[in-house]
């Protein structure tokens, strides 16, 4: 079982870096959104400090949606997804490995760029640490919950628009708690409660999402 899951991880990593154009799309979109936004609202440091966390989080959500559509696409097209289901391997574990791979490939680069954009948006040190904490805890939720919708729409020709319509309303509570945590840091208030709520969301997603993804993929194959 471990060797099979490692093979799935290795294959997804190699496929991601083989398609470098698609791999760079979410990252470039993230950079462009955050770079262009100050030009529209003005360069005032206080304004950028107030809207900066929300801008980064919205850009992160939209960027993750760009790379999410191909999460199971290659496996569905070449038939390996069906073969995996017939092999008797736990699809929930396979789905969890693929989601983890998606998070590493698409989201971790965004986290690595966040210090640069925190300076660009004039965030204080307290706001930056609150922001990076919410991103580390919250972005896996984007991948886990998003993979459920991807599993349901994997067989559709143009499922990207439907995917966005399904997921954007679901991510609103996460966006609210994440930006509220950074706002609390901005006002020198404790934000542990916000992080605890986001952490509870993550634990719930880790417990339920793999099984929901496996069921969604089975439905799509039928």
């Amino acid at each position: 079982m471990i060797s099979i899951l490692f093979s799935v991880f290795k294959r997804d990593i190699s496929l991601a870096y083989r398609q470098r154009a698609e791999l760079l799309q979410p990252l470039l979109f993230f950079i462009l959104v955050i770079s262009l936004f100050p030009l529209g609202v003005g360069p005032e440091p206080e304004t950028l400090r107030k809207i900066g966390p929300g801008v980064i989080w919205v850009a992160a959500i939209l960027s993750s949606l760009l790379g999410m559509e191909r999460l199971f696409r290659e496996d569905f097209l070449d038939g390996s997804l069906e073969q995996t289901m017939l092999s008797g391997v736990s699809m929930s574990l396979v789905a969890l490995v693929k989601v983890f791979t998606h998070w590493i490939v698409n989201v971790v680069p965004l986290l690595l760029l966040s210090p640069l954009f925190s300076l660009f948006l004039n965030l204080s040190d307290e706001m930056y640490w609150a922001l990076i904490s919410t991103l580390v805890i919250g972005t896996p939720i984007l991948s886990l919950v998003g993979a459920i919708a991807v599993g349901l729409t994997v067989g559709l020709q143009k499922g990207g628009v439907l995917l966005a319509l399904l997921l954007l309303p679901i991510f609103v509570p996460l966006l609210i708690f994440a930006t509220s945590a950074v706002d609390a840091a901005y006002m020198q208030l404790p934000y542990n409660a916000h992080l605890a709520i986001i952490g509870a969301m993550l634990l719930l997603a880790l417990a339920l999402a793999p099984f929901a993804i496996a069921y969604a993929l089975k439905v799509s194959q039928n």
Side-chain angles (χ1 to χ4, degrees), residues 12-151:
D12 284 2
I13 290 289
S14 62
L15 283 175
Y17 284 97
R18 193 180 304 166
Q19 302 168 345
R20 294 182 182 179
E22 293 188 3
L23 181 64
L24 289 174
Q25 283 180 4
L27 185 61
L28 291 176
F29 179 83
F30 182 77
I31 294 173
L32 286 174
V33 169
I34 298 178
S35 300
L36 294 175
F37 204 90
L39 299 178
V41 300
E44 292 81 7
E46 195 63 27
T47 302
L48 293 178
R49 183 175 295 180
K50 289 182 178 179
I51 67 173
V55 172
I56 292 177
W57 255 101
V58 170
I61 291 174
L62 296 178
S63 299
S64 66
L65 288 177
L66 284 178
M68 204 169 287
E69 187 180 359
R70 62 178 183 271
L71 184 58
F72 301 110
R73 184 180 62 190
E74 297 295 334
D75 294 336
F76 179 81
L77 293 177
D78 63 15
S80 59
L81 182 62
E82 184 177 3
Q83 293 298 320
T84 304
M85 292 181 179
L86 295 175
S87 67
V89 180
S90 173
M91 278 304 300
S92 58
L93 291 178
V94 172
L96 189 60
V97 170
K98 294 181 74 66
V99 169
F100 177 68
T101 308
H102 170 269
W103 184 76
I104 289 178
V105 171
N106 292 277
V107 180
V108 169
L110 308 184
L111 298 179
L112 296 177
L113 286 175
S114 61
L116 175 63
F117 289 112
S118 66
L119 294 175
F120 187 68
L121 296 172
N122 198 43
L123 301 186
S124 63
D125 291 341
E126 294 81 4
M127 295 177 69
Y128 166 72
W129 288 113
L131 175 65
I132 197 66
S133 299
T134 58
L135 287 172
V136 170
I137 301 173
T139 49
I141 303 174
L142 303 179
S143 298
L144 287 166
V145 177
I148 302 174
V150 174

Side-chain angles (χ1 to χ4, degrees), residues 173-191:
L174 175 61
L175 178 63
I176 291 173
F177 284 111
T179 54
S180 297
V182 186
D183 288 339
Y186 171 71
M187 295 182 288
Q188 304 292 324
L189 297 174
Y191 52 89

